[in-house]
């Protein structure tokens, strides 16, 4: 029977006749035997395999290099050596896939920059193996979190005819012949395109998920989103995953509570359930990681209105590259000052000026702010962006026109405000930013298997 190394290493007693598949991390030879360190991806740890003259296939062992794929039958026994409780005494060794000596991942540690150039091989390193296990576990836990609280997972479209954020940073989807684009009056004639109209990759599932919120009550979408913004930073990608819950009969306060609850829940989950993989990041990537996570797990987030945040920044005596000013967006240096230096914990800033936020946010009575919220965390800055939605037909229609959008494009969205509209709220949690937070990895390109950034699309 096939065993996972994860299960074997946790075994309470010796086990006879086990069967393991995996990849060789290292080989050490003595005169009459060799040790292979084998990893099968089920956990960070390797199993030590003793191959000796009694092993069928022993004659092969010197041909087995780092990176080779092997299958081993043997017995799990207590290891007489130091450093591991169990080892595998091989009875039969098979070389499944050879790895010649030019295998790029030999023992020494490689830089993240180099590993990005071999994204097809980097999952085989300890660090990226740990990262992608945590990523998968977290994604699963996110679904569980919502399921346990009565939320329904809605599959919102990837190809869309709407621009959710109104920012226009979208990738076109077309089957038009780019060498010979049909035009009418100098404009592209999208009527001849696949959908008969302009189509894009979604920047957010929000507008679509709102329609289901106004029926199923508590919903969320969790999928890939795409932005063609040309920001080459360590926190932006052209393709990223977003978790977007939407709550009916709810206001900004309920939204903030949910944003805080899910963030703290997921931090605690990783600390408890991914401890072995997390320890790698705490040791090699960010030595303050466990302290940061503990702090998030144990303390309530600070909440403060945008206006107060600007005051606080202005009075901080700090020389920022961008001077904080009411009406301007918070820069990441401001966000980091608030969470890392001033509060030393996550903070939720809310009630932003309406002119720097999206059209769908609920307008406050002061006439100049909207019920927006951003959750800011140390090292990263914004991890969640959300709002209470404008549920009133007139103010929403007015805002759409004011911003120069065509209300006809939003007819279906407006109609949800015409029939049975209710106060509702939601947010988007950036999945990769969450992974940066929980692992301490400083570059977003290193928390997703295949990063997409401007001028980078190798695989
Ligand atoms: O603040 P954003 O733009 O909000 C929305 O898209 C809303 N429609 C969400 C909603 O209310 N349902 O994006 C939400 C989060 C950000 O806080 C950030 O964590 C992440 O998505 N994000 C990105 N992550 C990686 N690369 C990018 N280019 C990102 N842009 C946003
Ligand atoms: Mg935002």
């Amino acid at each position: 029977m096939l065993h996972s190394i994860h299960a074997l290493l946790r075994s309470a007693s010796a086990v006879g006749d086990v069967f393991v598949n995996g990849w060789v991390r290292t080989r050490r030879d003595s005169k009459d035997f060799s040790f292979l360190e084998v990893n099968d991806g089920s956990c960070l740890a390797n199993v030590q395999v003793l191959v000796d003259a009694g092993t069928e296939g022993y004659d092969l062992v010197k041909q087995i290099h780092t990176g080779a794929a092997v299958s081993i039958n043997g017995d799990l026994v207590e290891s007489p050596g130091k450093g591991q409780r169990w080892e595998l005494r091989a009875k039969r060794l098979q070389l499944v896939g050879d790895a010649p000596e030019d295998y790029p991942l030999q023992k020494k540690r490689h830089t993240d920059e180099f590993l990005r150039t071999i994204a097809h091989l980097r999952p085989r390193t300890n660090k990226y193996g740990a990262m992608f296990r945590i990523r998968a576990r977290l994604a699963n836990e996110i679904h569980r979190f919502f399921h346990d609280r009565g939320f329904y997972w809605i599959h919102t479209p990837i190809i869309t005819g709407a621009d959710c954020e109104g920012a226009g940073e979208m990738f076109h989807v077309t089957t038009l012949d780019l060498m010979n684009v049909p035009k009418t009056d100098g404009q592209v004639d999208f009527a001849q395109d696949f959908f008969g109209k302009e189509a894009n990759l979604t920047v957010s599932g929000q507008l679509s998920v709102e329609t289901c919120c106004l029926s199923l009550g508590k919903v969320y979408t969790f999928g890939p989103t795409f932005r063609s913004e040309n920001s080459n930073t360590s926190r932006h990608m052209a393709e990223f995953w977003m978790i977007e819950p939407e709550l009916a009969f709810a206001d900004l306060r309920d939204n903030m509570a949910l944003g805080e609850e899910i963030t703290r829940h997921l931090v605690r989950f990783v600390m408890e359930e991914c401890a072995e993989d997390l320890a790698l990041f705490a040791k090699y990537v960010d030595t303050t990681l466990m302290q940061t996570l503990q702090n998030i797990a144990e303390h309530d987030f600070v909440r403060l209105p945008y206006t107060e945040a600007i005051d606080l920044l202005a009075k901080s005596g700090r020389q920022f590259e961008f001077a904080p000013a009411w009406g301007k967006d918070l820069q990441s240096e401001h966000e980091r000052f608030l969470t890392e230096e001033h509060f030393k914990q996550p903070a939720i800033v809310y009630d932003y000026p309406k002119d720097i936020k999206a059209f769908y946010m609920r307008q406050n009575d002061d006439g100049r702010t909207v019920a927006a919220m951003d959750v800011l965390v140390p090292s990263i800055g914004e991890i969640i962006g959300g709002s209470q939605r404008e549920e009133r037909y007139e103010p929403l229609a007015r805002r759409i026109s004011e911003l120069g959008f065509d209300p006809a494009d939003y007819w279906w969205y407006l109609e949800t405000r015409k029939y049975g509209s209710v106060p509702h709220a939601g947010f988007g949690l950036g999945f990769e930013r969450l992974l940066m937070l929980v692992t301490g990895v400083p570059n977003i390109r290193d928390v997703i298997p295949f990063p997409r950034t401007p001028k980078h699309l190798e695989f």
Side-chain angles (χ1 to χ4, degrees), residues 194-379:
F194 187 89
F195 295 104
K197 62 181 286 196
E198 200 173 341
N200 297 292
L201 294 179
T202 186
V203 296
S204 159
Q206 178 198 325
L207 302 191
S208 314
V209 92
E210 275 188 57
T211 67
C212 291
C213 173
L214 295 173
S215 161
L216 282 77
K218 291 198 271 185
V219 297
Y220 69 105
T221 173
F222 181 11
T225 48
F226 309 86
R227 295 191 186 179
S228 62
E229 57 193 332
N230 201 358
S231 33
N232 235 321
T233 77
S234 57
R235 304 176 307 129
H236 290 88
M237 284 188 300
E239 178 177 304
F240 64 98
W241 287 60
M242 194 160 33
I243 298 115
E244 299 183 86
E246 196 72 30
L247 288 165
F249 301 97
D251 62 14
L252 189 65
R253 248 139 263 287
D254 303 313
N255 209 27
M256 290 196 264
L258 183 65
E260 175 168 348
E261 185 187 0
I262 191 169
T263 308
R264 292 176 64 192
H265 176 91
L266 295 174
V267 163
R268 271 188 233 114
F269 170 82
V270 172
M271 292 173 79
E272 285 161 19
E273 301 295 327
C274 307
E276 187 190 19
D277 286 325
L278 202 58
L280 177 147
F281 294 97
K283 185 167 177 198
Y284 296 112
V285 175
D286 175 4
T287 52
T288 64
L289 180 64
M290 297 318 288
Q291 211 178 308
T292 306
L293 297 183
Q294 198 77 42
N295 193 31
I296 295 173
E298 283 171 7
H299 296 102
D300 291 346
F301 293 3
V302 172
R303 295 180 190 192
L304 83 163
Y306 165 90
T307 302
E308 278 176 33
I310 292 291
D311 267 0
L312 201 156
L313 290 163
K315 290 184 185 139
S316 68
R318 172 65 60 101
Q319 279 303 111
F320 293 108
E321 192 187 337
F322 297 92
W326 203 96
K328 293 225 174 82
D329 220 344
L330 294 182
Q331 298 292 324
S332 102
E333 55 175 339
H334 305 142
E335 298 175 342
R336 295 186 57 172
F337 173 81
L338 292 174
T339 56
E340 284 165 39
E341 296 182 45
H342 189 79
F343 297 120
K344 298 192 166 52
Q345 68 187 90
I348 310 181
V349 178
Y350 62 95
D351 287 348
Y352 282 76
K354 71 172 191 220
D355 291 331
I356 57 171
K357 290 292 183 187
F359 73 94
Y360 53 71
M361 297 189 179
R362 194 177 199 281
Q363 296 156 47
N364 289 327
D365 293 341
D366 62 14
R368 56 179 206 155
T369 63
V370 285
M373 65 164 210
D374 278 0
V375 177
L376 315 177
V377 295
S379 305

Side-chain angles (χ1 to χ4, degrees), residues 23-27 37-39 44 46 66-67 123-126:
W23 291 269
V24 173
R25 287 290 162 83
T26 58
R27 192 189 84 219
E37 289 285 329
V38 176
N39 188 284
L44 184 65
N46 307 320
T66 294
R124 302 182 188 204
T125 62
N126 283 340

Side-chain angles (χ1 to χ4, degrees), residues 354-355 363 395-405:
K354 71 172 191 220
D355 291 331
Q363 296 156 47
L396 180 62
R398 216 178 309 123
R399 190 71 186 137
I400 288 174
S401 300
E402 254 170 38
L403 289 169
F405 305 153

